[in-house]
Amino acid sequence: MSRFFYPKLAATNLKKNAQTYLPYILTCIGTVMMYYIMVFLSENEGLGKMAGGSQVQSILSMGTYVIAIFSAIFLFYTHSFLVKRRKKEFGLFNILGMEKKHIARVLAIETLYVAGISLGAGLLGGILLSKLIFMVLLKILNFEVPLGFEVSGPALAAVLFLFAGIFLLTLLNTLRQIHLAKPVELLMGGQTGETEPKTKWLLVVMGTLSLGGGYYISLTTQSPLAALTQFFFAVLLVIVGTYCLFTAGSIAVLKLLRRNKGYYYQTRHFTAVAGMMYRMKQNAVGLANICIMATAVLVMVSTTVSLYIGMEDVLRTRYPQHIMISTPMPAQQSVEGLQTSVKEVLVKHGLEGKDRLDYRYVAFVGNQEGDRLITNLSNISDDSSSVREFYLIPLEDYNRLAKRTASLGDDEILIYSSGSKYEEDTLTVFNRTFSVKERLDSFFENSPNRVSISGSYYVVVKDMDVVKAMEEARAKENGDDPSGYRYYLGFDLEADEADISAVYQDIRTALGSDYPGSSIESPVAAKESFFAIYGGLFFLGIFLGALFIMATVLIIYYKQVSEGYDDKARFEIMQKVGMSREEVRGSIRSQVLIVFFLPLVTAGIHIAFAFPIITKLLAVLNLTNVGLFAWCTAGTILVFALFYAIVYGLTAKVYYRIVSWGTSG
Amino acid sequence: MTILEVNNLKKVYTTRFGGSPVQALANVSFSVEEGEYAAIMGESGSGKTTLLNILASLDKPTSGEVLLKGKGLSTIKEKEISAFRRENLGFVFQDFNLLDTFSLQDNIFLPLVLSGKSYEEMSRRLEPIARKLGIGDILAKYPYEVSGGQKQRCAVARALITKPQLILADEPTGSLDSQAAEGLLRLFKEINSEGQTLLMVTHSVKAASHAQRVLFIKDGEVFHQLYKAGMSDEAMYQKISDTLTTMATGGGRHE
Ligand SMILES: Nc1ncnc2c1ncn2[C@@H]1O[C@H](COP(=O)(O)OP(=O)(O)O)[C@@H](O)[C@H]1O
Ligand SMILES: [Mg+2]
């Protein structure tokens, strides 16, 4: 045999199977590109040196792992589909006298071609696109865009390493399958008879329970802190539930329908039930994959987009005032001294504090147990959902800020709760029992209404004596020194960001040495790191969203193609047995539509149920604007559905061409 | 009474990409009487399947007409053609044409379900047929779970259950081993003896020798026909072989 026989045969094979190989190669190219770009960005030195850049890079490097794992699983999965389609061809080669080792050689050469094309085109595309994506990222992050163009050596190496591994694995897996199969089995190929799917009630029950469990967690989780820990558990339950119900649940439902003879043996239901049963058996896993990926895309994109869009909101929630000073006040310090220092800075800049807000308080953390607060630090955090932050404020300051003239007895309090409601009539803390005189619906304007991950209570007590007594009790219990009370001073400035930033810096210097332990915050100072984090997440969300969408498209395409081949024969038989073309067409179309939109609808339901828990997670990230998130979610779903419908339209064309819609007969 | 009448049927396939047109049928005329068991013989590529597809109204002739009980197939509206086919014709194909998504029983029920029959009625009809064909205990199985012969018997059951005027069979023994083929041919004879009209297309001499009449087509025309008329299967077999030899050696047409 000629030296060129195998390379030639390999090339012919790829050409002959272009309809299935082309999308696969395009996907390989796409994943190579995305992986290169992601590694490029997460390793880029210029980005690392920018303020907040390293935070972005740690987010992005998380992305590289996601892409790597995903690419491996996904390419492996699609490739096994290709091999299944081609088994018949291998069987033919085998019977025509090619030994398995020769087939292996052809396959190895084919893999080399595919790898060569994918890596060549993918790296070229990745290198060209990396600059563009880099600029987009910097724009998102609000960073300056530097000049110049780079090719990253480490990124090239990472790509070659990962994808060589993936291609090798797929080849080995194919060879294993060929090696194990007998020629006759190969010839039978994909169509080794469809076994009647079994009803797996255990899986159905498990799926229902775990899906229900996931939904239940989402609907009932109240505190953001609990949401943080429960979210991944809920996600896991929903994923398990989705797989179980798509695979076993669908079959169980269809079988129940079939058992009902009056329903089943009706012209309209007969072919539909049997057809759906067959399709679900073939595609349940693929459909569940699509459903989960669609859900992931929707969650990722809607959350990151709303965080990014809502960044000003987030900043305002987290930092309600331009300058926020909170400092401990031991005996030797005075509130007046601090106010003077701040005043001096403002005078120097020719500015005045607006909406000034100041009050004295002490804060501590404890576990709420009914009307008791357990403050013993060693007990805290066992049950994260009952952790509460307490802020004690004297009545004098509260009345001043809220413009009220409330009065309180020694053991009376006013309570304002944020996060979880305080329902009790009394509150016992450090062995002192207070009676709740009034539950406040609002505190005062610009009150530090922080959405902490646990619930917070703002408790107004009679006077500073009570405040100090409580702080002493706390220190005694924890065995540390009482730190006196804390003093909060916050105000807005009518100035541009640069001036606010300058004031902020000066106040830091002015207070730094005299007031150890004080915290000085400003949204202006935090903006950069917020941009870095939320911008980074936004970028990653969109990027991974694109990757997942690409995968979804490919799965859909392969599903349509493989169903097309199977349906073609069925379509002809049905006509021969006396179904009209219109009937067959209608029946097949509705089945294809159901199969196609089932994952999307399910993803929509998942999202609806996930909404409550995600809003709580976003609250942890300081996004409390539920309306914005709702809009972003709706928008994302709409865009995705539109995109999905377009993909459906395009692949349906391929499908109809295969079943030769309208040409037969 | 004449059940099927075929007059001057012509079929020319025009390929889409400008290839030269293929004439599958040139001028075919014959008729089938009620209760008859006729076979059509011809080499592979002689147009047998084409003819059967036209008879089944699955395809349209280029010219000529097909009358079923005096009714021209070309006069039936497109919308009614499938119902007409379902109610008047039964089919048995070489490759069985059973749907792998249905159990054998559901495959047999398919035409009746399409006609809107109730489950009770379908079971009532199936019961005697299943008994006769000996498929009673495999009905719950799926096509891939049974042998070729069993599959073909289910296909016959599917054809019989609609009580058709005419059963058309295209190479029904083509995918069967000799034993299963023999069984099927016996079955055909049996249902024919009960009054069922059968038209079978085949290139197997063995299969054709079971029929009461054999038509030979060559070059798209009916070349010759043979009547069995009391002959034994073996004698008929011999006669068919002789005819085929004559045809192959280019012997002239004779009635
Ligand atoms: N759909 C078609 N398009 C073009 N030519 C066809 C088509 N179907 C059959 N033919 C041609 O018509 C002739 C008769 O075919 P067919 O009826 O299948 O023969 P048989 O069943 O006797 O083997 C053959 O030459 C075949 O190539
Ligand atoms: Mg044929």
Side-chain angles (χ1 to χ4, degrees):
Chain A
M1 262 183 253
S2 145
R3 196 151 50 91
F4 298 112
F5 176 74
Y6 291 109
K8 250 194 210 145
L9 184 60
T12 328
N13 284 346
L14 290 181
K15 260 186 235 148
K16 212 170 52 200
N17 289 296
Q19 193 176 41
T20 46
Y21 264 81
L22 198 64
Y24 172 68
I25 293 176
L26 287 178
T27 311
C28 291
I29 294 175
T31 41
V32 167
M33 262 164 59
M34 293 190 121
Y35 187 66
Y36 172 82
I37 292 171
M38 200 47 101
V39 178
F40 170 82
L41 293 176
S42 68
E43 302 271 327
N44 187 288
E45 281 179 20
L47 181 60
K49 283 189 193 121
M50 294 175 199
S54 61
Q55 277 164 307
V56 176
Q57 287 192 323
S58 66
I59 293 174
L60 293 185
S61 68
M62 224 164 61
T64 61
Y65 292 116
V66 176
I67 297 181
I69 294 170
F70 180 79
S71 306
I73 295 175
F74 183 64
L75 293 181
F76 200 76
Y77 169 80
T78 42
H79 191 264
S80 68
F81 168 86
L82 296 183
V83 172
K84 206 160 125 199
R85 281 253 140 242
R86 288 186 61 194
K87 274 198 177 154
K88 204 169 186 166
E89 184 183 325
F90 300 144
L92 203 60
F93 283 152
N94 204 190
I95 283 178
L96 291 179
M98 265 171 94
E99 285 169 44
K100 280 181 179 165
K101 68 174 186 223
H102 298 136
I103 297 180
R105 202 157 138 190
V106 175
L107 282 173
I109 299 173
E110 282 178 21
T111 309
L112 264 182
Y113 287 160
V114 172
I117 298 171
S118 306
L119 285 170
L123 283 176
L124 191 71
I127 288 167
L128 292 179
L129 262 183
S130 60
K131 176 70 183 176
L132 179 72
I133 303 276
F134 188 43
M135 290 194 316
V136 170
L137 174 64
L138 294 183
K139 198 88 205 135
I140 289 174
L141 298 175
N142 240 2
F143 289 170
E144 296 271 322
V145 177
L147 294 170
F149 187 88
E150 305 172 51
V151 175
S152 156
L156 283 179
V159 169
L160 288 176
F161 184 72
L162 174 70
F163 284 87
I166 293 176
F167 285 123
L168 189 68
L169 270 180
T170 54
L171 176 64
L172 289 178
N173 185 45
T174 314
L175 295 183
R176 185 184 60 90
Q177 287 188 30
I178 304 272
H179 183 72
L180 290 179
K182 299 186 189 75
V184 186
E185 284 169 8
L186 284 176
L187 265 183
M188 296 290 281
Q191 37 177 336
T192 40
E194 275 313 311
T195 41
E196 155 103 352
K198 294 209 168 49
T199 321
K200 296 173 185 126
W201 284 110
L202 189 69
L203 280 184
V204 176
V205 171
M206 236 175 74
T208 315
L209 287 181
S210 73
L211 190 67
Y215 285 175
Y216 180 80
I217 290 176
S218 170
L219 293 181
T220 53
T221 302
Q222 290 302 334
S223 93
L225 186 63
L228 210 56
T229 52
Q230 304 265 293
F231 182 69
F232 289 99
F233 188 55
V235 167
L236 212 68
L237 285 178
V238 169
I239 290 179
V240 170
T242 306
Y243 277 109
C244 291
L245 290 184
F246 266 71
T247 51
S250 59
I251 300 289
V253 169
L254 289 167
K255 281 206 164 176
L256 284 181
L257 289 179
R258 200 175 61 176
R259 204 173 295 167
N260 180 349
K261 298 221 157 31
Y263 176 90
Y264 177 54
Y265 288 109
Q266 280 178 29
T267 314
R268 280 185 38 228
H269 304 148
F270 191 58
T271 47
V273 171
M276 282 305 294
M277 182 120 59
Y278 177 79
R279 276 167 217 273
M280 286 315 292
K281 178 169 177 268
Q282 294 277 301
N283 300 309
V285 174
L287 292 178
N289 284 339
I290 294 179
C291 173
I292 286 169
M293 269 191 298
T295 314
V297 169
L298 292 175
V299 169
M300 240 165 24
V301 174
S302 62
T303 50
T304 53
V305 167
S306 44
L307 278 175
Y308 188 69
I309 295 179
M311 191 130 50
E312 293 296 333
D313 269 10
V314 166
L315 277 171
R316 207 61 195 165
T317 306
R318 173 63 184 79
Y319 305 101
Q321 296 188 292
H322 283 152
I323 301 289
M324 298 165 65
I325 304 163
S326 157
T327 174
M329 279 292 165
Q332 73 275 16
Q333 299 286 7
S334 77
V335 167
E336 288 74 23
L338 179 121
Q339 286 173 345
T340 317
S341 307
V342 172
K343 189 104 198 160
E344 277 167 9
V345 174
L346 287 179
V347 168
K348 183 181 133 203
H349 287 270
L351 286 169
E352 221 178 309
K354 288 261 178 314
D355 298 323
R356 207 185 93 146
L357 198 67
D358 71 319
Y359 53 88
R360 294 157 294 172
Y361 70 103
V362 296
F364 47 83
V365 182
N367 279 43
Q368 187 187 344
E369 273 178 19
D371 63 349
R372 302 183 70 82
L373 188 70
I374 312 300
T375 45
N376 197 331
L377 278 178
S378 56
N379 290 342
I380 293 178
S381 87
D382 269 27
D383 174 13
S384 56
S385 64
S386 67
V387 174
R388 304 283 180 266
E389 286 174 32
F390 273 76
Y391 296 88
L392 263 51
I393 296 176
L395 180 66
E396 186 192 337
D397 290 6
Y398 168 73
N399 274 341
R400 177 167 51 81
L401 294 166
K403 302 192 178 64
R404 286 188 59 177
T405 51
S407 64
L408 282 175
D410 268 349
D411 290 326
E412 283 181 330
I413 53 171
L414 308 176
I415 193 160
Y416 169 73
S417 47
S418 131
S420 62
K421 280 253 161 302
Y422 192 77
E423 312 274 4
E424 313 294 333
D425 291 329
T426 59
L427 171 66
T428 303
V429 56
F430 302 126
N431 295 323
R432 187 162 169 179
T433 303
F434 297 95
S435 66
V436 176
K437 190 178 181 198
E438 194 186 338
R439 287 184 199 89
L440 303 171
D441 294 330
S442 64
F443 209 34
F444 44 80
E445 224 176 305
N446 286 332
S447 60
N449 186 12
R450 283 188 58 173
V451 184
S452 51
I453 47 182
S454 50
S456 326
Y457 295 131
Y458 297 87
V459 180
V460 181
V461 296
K462 183 167 178 258
D463 50 27
M464 280 308 286
D465 290 342
V466 182
V467 171
K468 285 178 181 156
M470 296 308 288
E471 168 62 11
E472 269 155 26
R474 181 200 67 78
K476 200 169 150 209
E477 190 176 279
N478 291 329
D480 57 26
D481 290 330
S483 61
Y485 62 94
R486 287 184 81 92
Y487 174 65
Y488 173 85
L489 171 64
F491 50 84
D492 282 338
L493 292 168
E494 276 177 356
D496 58 24
E497 288 191 356
D499 287 340
I500 297 174
S501 180
V503 170
Y504 165 78
Q505 290 302 341
D506 285 354
I507 291 179
R508 280 190 82 93
T509 354
L511 302 185
S513 51
D514 294 344
Y515 298 88
S518 60
S519 102
I520 301 153
E521 296 174 320
S522 165
V524 175
K527 198 165 182 172
E528 232 165 42
S529 74
F530 267 66
F531 257 108
I533 293 173
Y534 292 174
L537 285 174
F538 173 65
F539 177 79
L540 193 65
I542 301 286
F543 202 86
L544 292 182
L547 179 73
F548 280 18
I549 283 181
M550 188 169 79
T552 310
V553 171
L554 197 73
I555 297 181
I556 290 172
Y557 176 82
Y558 281 139
K559 229 179 52 50
Q560 293 280 68
V561 168
S562 64
E563 287 203 345
Y565 287 120
D566 296 341
D567 286 345
K568 184 183 166 66
R570 221 166 293 134
F571 177 70
E572 284 166 4
I573 296 177
M574 285 185 185
Q575 283 192 69
K576 285 182 183 167
V577 180
M579 231 172 151
S580 73
R581 269 249 298 291
E582 282 312 312
E583 281 171 326
V584 176
R585 194 185 291 205
S587 140
I588 288 192
R589 178 172 287 158
S590 66
Q591 288 175 39
V592 170
L593 272 176
I594 291 175
V595 166
F596 209 83
F597 285 98
L598 187 69
L600 188 65
V601 171
T602 315
I605 296 174
H606 286 349
I607 297 283
F609 275 100
F611 195 83
I613 199 168
I614 296 177
T615 52
K616 304 223 164 57
L617 283 180
L618 288 176
V620 177
L621 296 167
N622 293 301
L623 185 82
T624 49
N625 191 341
V626 176
L628 173 71
F629 176 55
W631 278 113
C632 284
T633 308
T636 315
I637 292 179
L638 209 72
V639 171
F640 188 81
L642 196 74
F643 186 80
Y644 199 81
I646 292 173
V647 172
Y648 167 71
L650 292 178
T651 55
K653 260 197 197 136
V654 178
Y655 170 85
Y656 292 142
R657 201 165 56 227
I658 293 170
V659 297
S660 54
W661 222 229
T663 57
S664 71
Chain B
M1 187 195 165
T2 305
I3 231 175
L4 179 75
E5 199 178 327
V6 177
N7 294 325
N8 307 104
L9 222 49
K10 183 175 171 182
K11 176 73 186 180
V12 180
Y13 287 111
T14 39
T15 40
R16 221 176 302 174
F17 304 106
S20 57
V22 180
Q23 172 159 310
L25 301 175
N27 181 18
V28 174
S29 302
F30 66 93
S31 61
V32 178
E33 297 300 309
E34 186 159 7
E36 207 182 356
Y37 180 3
I40 295 177
M41 279 209 81
E43 288 171 19
S44 167
S46 57
K48 303 185 298 293
T49 299
T50 305
L51 173 62
L52 214 65
N53 280 343
I54 293 172
L55 299 185
S57 65
L58 287 167
D59 204 350
K60 289 199 168 57
T62 311
S63 67
E65 60 172 356
V66 179
L67 302 173
L68 193 72
K69 280 209 152 171
K71 191 173 166 64
L73 289 188
S74 55
T75 65
I76 302 171
K77 288 198 205 79
E78 179 69 36
K79 270 192 182 150
E80 291 152 14
I81 201 112
S82 344
F84 175 84
R85 190 187 305 148
R86 214 156 55 211
E87 275 146 30
N88 295 289
L89 300 170
F91 301 92
V92 181
F93 305 92
Q94 171 174 3
D95 46 3
F96 321 124
N97 278 352
L98 296 171
L99 290 165
D100 52 6
T101 50
F102 285 114
S103 68
L104 293 172
Q105 168 167 304
D106 287 349
N107 263 294
I108 297 170
F109 282 168
L110 185 58
L112 292 185
V113 174
L114 295 174
S115 303
K117 296 280 187 291
S118 73
Y119 176 70
E120 287 70 34
E121 154 129 41
M122 295 190 289
S123 323
R124 203 168 47 242
R125 282 205 201 180
L126 176 59
E127 209 254 328
I129 296 175
R131 194 156 8 92
K132 182 161 59 192
L133 301 189
I135 50 172
D137 44 359
I138 54 165
L139 285 175
K141 296 196 170 180
Y142 278 72
Y144 55 88
E145 291 175 307
V146 300
S147 74
Q150 288 171 317
K151 273 189 232 183
Q152 198 57 300
R153 271 183 278 153
C154 289
V156 173
R158 181 178 62 188
L160 285 174
I161 203 164
T162 57
K163 302 179 183 149
Q165 306 278 349
L166 174 66
I167 287 185
L168 299 170
D170 186 359
E171 310 263 14
T173 57
S175 302
L176 302 180
D177 60 59
S178 60
Q179 206 181 342
E182 191 62 42
L184 185 75
L185 292 169
R186 259 203 316 272
L187 189 64
F188 272 13
K189 243 186 197 166
E190 191 183 326
I191 52 182
N192 172 246
S193 70
E194 286 162 15
Q196 176 68 55
T197 318
L198 279 164
L199 177 60
M200 172 172 73
V201 145
T202 183
H203 70 257
S204 149
V205 179
K206 179 103 197 162
S209 67
H210 282 245
Q212 296 167 353
R213 177 162 61 118
V214 182
L215 293 129
F216 297 88
I217 55 175
K218 189 186 178 189
D219 302 327
E221 284 185 50
V222 177
F223 175 84
H224 182 63
Q225 60 177 331
L226 278 178
Y227 283 90
K228 191 170 183 185
M231 250 188 276
S232 71
D233 285 358
E234 289 70 29
M236 186 67 173
Y237 186 99
Q238 196 50 53
K239 211 144 179 219
I240 294 171
S241 300
D242 294 346
T243 311
L244 288 177
T245 317
T246 322
M247 277 166 71
T249 50
R253 174 195 287 250
H254 53 104
E255 287 292 308

